[in-house]
Amino acid sequence: MKSRESLVRLKQFQVNEKRRQLAQLDAMITEFDRMATELELQITAEEKKAGITDINHFAYPTFAKAARQRRDNLRDSQSDLAKQRATAETLLIEAEAELSKAEMLEMRDGKARDVDTGPRSAMIG
């Protein structure tokens, strides 16, 4: 029955690992959002300072162009992370279901052992 206990511990470890990965993805998505918002403010300030908001204008600030590109890259990465998060969430749900099954098996085996031990000791004594 030791194998059932180790199976439960393994499944618990897997669930904890999936939760950690999910939290890490959430933190990265939040950080990317913060950085993109900050870049958006910098772009707006640069455009206001230059007085040019048309991206195709020959005198559009180079810094604003570069910041726009970085912001767009961050948004793309954020989108990719959101997809990874959805997958990780699905894997977490599956891992939790497997843990639940393993715990039920462990409880069932534990009850069976208790029932097996009870009558034997009465018969021996």
Side-chain angles (χ1 to χ4, degrees), residues 50-102:
I52 301 170
T53 57
D54 181 16
I55 300 168
N56 297 318
H57 191 277
F58 73 93
Y60 188 77
T62 307
F63 174 78
K65 276 185 186 176
R68 228 174 239 289
Q69 184 62 48
R70 283 195 304 273
R71 183 207 54 205
D72 293 344
N73 288 343
L74 282 170
R75 294 289 185 207
D76 290 344
S77 295
Q78 193 177 14
S79 175
D80 291 342
L81 287 174
K83 290 174 188 171
Q84 287 179 22
R85 187 193 184 289
T87 302
E89 199 167 20
T90 302
L91 292 173
L92 173 62
I93 290 168
E94 290 172 6
E96 286 173 337
E98 289 177 16
L99 172 62
S100 178
K101 287 177 190 175

Side-chain angles (χ1 to χ4, degrees), residues 1-9 106 109:
M1 300 315 134
K2 202 88 151 132
S3 64
R4 295 262 193 234
E5 292 172 12
S6 57
L7 177 67
V8 170
R9 280 197 308 265
E106 174 63 24
D109 287 351

Side-chain angles (χ1 to χ4, degrees), residues 12-22 24 92:
Q12 185 62 51
F13 175 78
Q14 289 173 343
V15 166
N16 290 339
E17 183 64 19
K18 301 291 182 203
R19 285 182 182 149
R20 186 194 62 75
Q21 289 173 353
L22 203 57
Q24 191 174 26
L92 173 62

Side-chain angles (χ1 to χ4, degrees), residues 21-35 74 77-78 81 84:
Q21 289 173 353
L22 203 57
Q24 191 174 26
L25 286 169
D26 285 339
M28 289 173 66
I29 289 169
T30 302
E31 180 64 14
F32 282 8
D33 188 48
R34 184 196 62 75
M35 292 167 59
L74 282 170
S77 295
Q78 193 177 14
L81 287 174
Q84 287 179 22

